[in-house]
Amino acid sequence: MLETIESSSLDTLDALQALDTRLRWLSSWTIHNANHLRDSRDGLKVGGHQASCASITAIMAALYFHALRPQDKVAVKPHAGPVLHAIHYLLGNQSLDQLQRFRGLGGAQSYPSRTKDRIPVDFSTGSVGLGVAITAFASLVQDYLIAHGQIPEAEAGRMIALMGDAELDEGNIYECLIEGYKHDIRNCWWIVDYNRQSLDHTTADRMFNRFDDIFATCGWRVITLKHGKLQQAAFRRPGGKSLEQWIDKCPNADFAVLTYQGGAAWRTRLLNDIGGKPNVARLLDGYDDDALATLMTNLGGHCIETLVKAFESAADDRPTMFIAYTIKGFGLPFAGHKDNHAGLMNPTQIEGLRDSLGIAAGDEWEPYGGLGGNRAAQLKAFVDRSPLAAGKADARADAIAVPDRLPVPDGAEQSTQAAFGRILLDLSKSGHPLADRIVTTSPDVTVSTNLGAFVNQRGLFRRQELKDVFAGAKIPSAQKWSGHAAGQHIELGIAENNLFLMLAALGLSAPIFGSRLLPIGTVYDPFIARGLDALNYGCYQDARFLLVATPSGLTLGPEGGAHQSINSPLIGIGQPGLTYFEPAWADELAALMRWSFDHMQAEDGGSVYLRLTTRSIQQIVRADADWEAEMLKGGYWLKRPSGDADVAIAFTGAIAPEVLAAHEALIEDLPGLGLLAITSPDLLHRGWSAKQAARGTGDGAPSHVDHLLSALAPGAGLVTIIDGSPSALSWLGAVKGMRVSPLGTDRFGQTGDLVDLYGQYRLDADAIIDAVAELFLGD
Ligand SMILES: Cc1ncc(C[n+]2csc(CCOP(=O)(O)OP(=O)(O)O)c2C)c(N)n1
Ligand SMILES: [Mg+2]
């Protein structure tokens, strides 16, 4: 490795060094322009992180213009977004207009965004920690695709995270580390911009030497880049050992303060601490104040040669963590200052930086400004030759055909969860090509969420064969548990964050790897909340997956309060990129699953969340198939109201039997009483608010819920009922200005059988009948 650098790449190091400076300048200027030069109409600080960018420009120069191959994918720490834009500006993929509109509407985004930025962004970032962990799951997805013959092994890329050191405080990192170890992940690099500063302050010294241990324990190679080439040379000189020991012991905060204060302060402190040791004073005398400051801040993460060597030394597929010591704000006036996270150079400071780089006023946006004609041309030629300049071909994945219908499981009584397992099993047995593209995953609730039959059919995914020891010992079990390379289920430990990151990575398989997978993840409905940010993260970058959660609300009865989901329907309604359905019957579910497989693949589609139950209920006999199209839009009249009906019942999910019982009890007195089956409060609400928003533009075509409710007489009332937060449906009254009597749960649960619980929480037929009466009584 060393030879490559020493014999043939002197030019490379020189060029990368120059690119480091270019990236520091362009990222600083992009942020400066947005904050100080662009007109401000609202007086708000635009923001941007010049210090976070300057901390990582050398790392990114060495990575993007040397180490990175076209098949590698990178998650860039959010606040280094401007550096990524600068890289693509040099590569010719980013326009000046986008840079000038950084953080403005339609301009380059504050944090790298797959969906909104116009440069290639492999993974969106923003919520720290998640962008890091998704790379580990993406490497697992890549292994899955290789094992299934969809990517040649030789084309395996590296999944790389460029991360801040404070991201190491996020718990999701360690959940992911453990999962990664279990799955023996490979081709994953995490490069820590180890500036020992977070947002608020300098980070805790006590963690200094712990991270390497933690990662090494989990099978990672840890490469620490602590000292740059200048420091290494100084350490070899007389007195150098003492200097090295001093640096190694220097507390984070002291190092930061001295960096900010500069050369004279370094000298005073060093002489004070180690000046009496042999040769140290003489060693320091060899540096003037500026040179001493340069020496002391010559950390590994700012030294191109050290970086290039480190990257080249990790040529195999072992997961590798690079701890690259850096200085936040390196080369900028606020380098090392603990408050520099959101700090911005003032105009005088940035002009000073510009002048020091030889950039003429007015040439600030010149990609190679301040370099002189020859050198600029050489650098441009270097960039144009870099492996990335060839451009990454946009991955395009073929659509997977979906059967016209998924058969409805037999059974006069069944639960939606059981039906889900059955539908998947039938699909798997059918041999339809769709089944080969399904990947299931679950955080240790595979069996209890009814994925078991599919897993029995298709097996666990393991790169190395995993024998079913119980089967081998001939111990009877309904569940096979053997793994192999062709397996289609990825079993995760209990960590819902990991589930959502796994789904996000699987759900990006088409755009990232050019090979489409249809991921299905199962989880306990109340524990969606545990992984909520990761769920949001997956949706934010338009990952496509099917989330299947049980149990809905109280329906797990005796299992009690801790397993009762209350607000998950509101998550389903509020989460962009995710369409929430809660069917009552198996035939609805079969049609919804079919719809989901299409929706997950559609250009303007998205992910789907099915809220299911283990409560087995009587299925209904349909007179025709007319209901289905409306059901897919979010709701249909199970029993049509008569035109003059004063009241109707709108319901969602597994309380259907109580609703039907109440209907039967009331029908004699209220012969026109309608029953509105709402399969997606989410779609109905979305359609309704879209209609409202479109009004201003003249397109106010009625939404589906308008259409449904127009079957009722003006002034009619509605009883709404869902086993979850009543606010998921109570809004229906606002559509046509109707009175509403909302039923649902908004208190924590407790153990009990369903009869007791439905009574306690007003979800039984009596409560519905009372609610209807309340509507008539008025105030
Ligand atoms: C989940 C989450 N919490 C909080 C933030 C706000 N935030 C942005 S950057 C940051 C800390 C940055 O420190 P570090 O990761 O070390 O990056 P540096 O800027 O030092 O390179 C915080 C707390 C966030 N983006 N995401
Ligand atoms: Mg930091």
Side-chain angles (χ1 to χ4, degrees), residues 198-213:
S198 58
L199 188 156
D200 282 337
H201 63 129
T202 44
T203 48
D205 291 295
R206 278 176 69 84
M207 278 313 290
F208 245 87
N209 298 316
R210 298 271 66 92
F211 292 122
D212 355 18
D213 297 352

Side-chain angles (χ1 to χ4, degrees), residues 52 77 79 126-128 164-167 170 195 197-198 328 341:
S52 301
K77 72 169 187 176
H79 25 304
S127 176
V128 299
D165 54 320
E167 295 196 66
E170 285 286 5
N195 59 30
Q197 268 187 258
S198 58
K328 193 152 170 170
H341 182 75

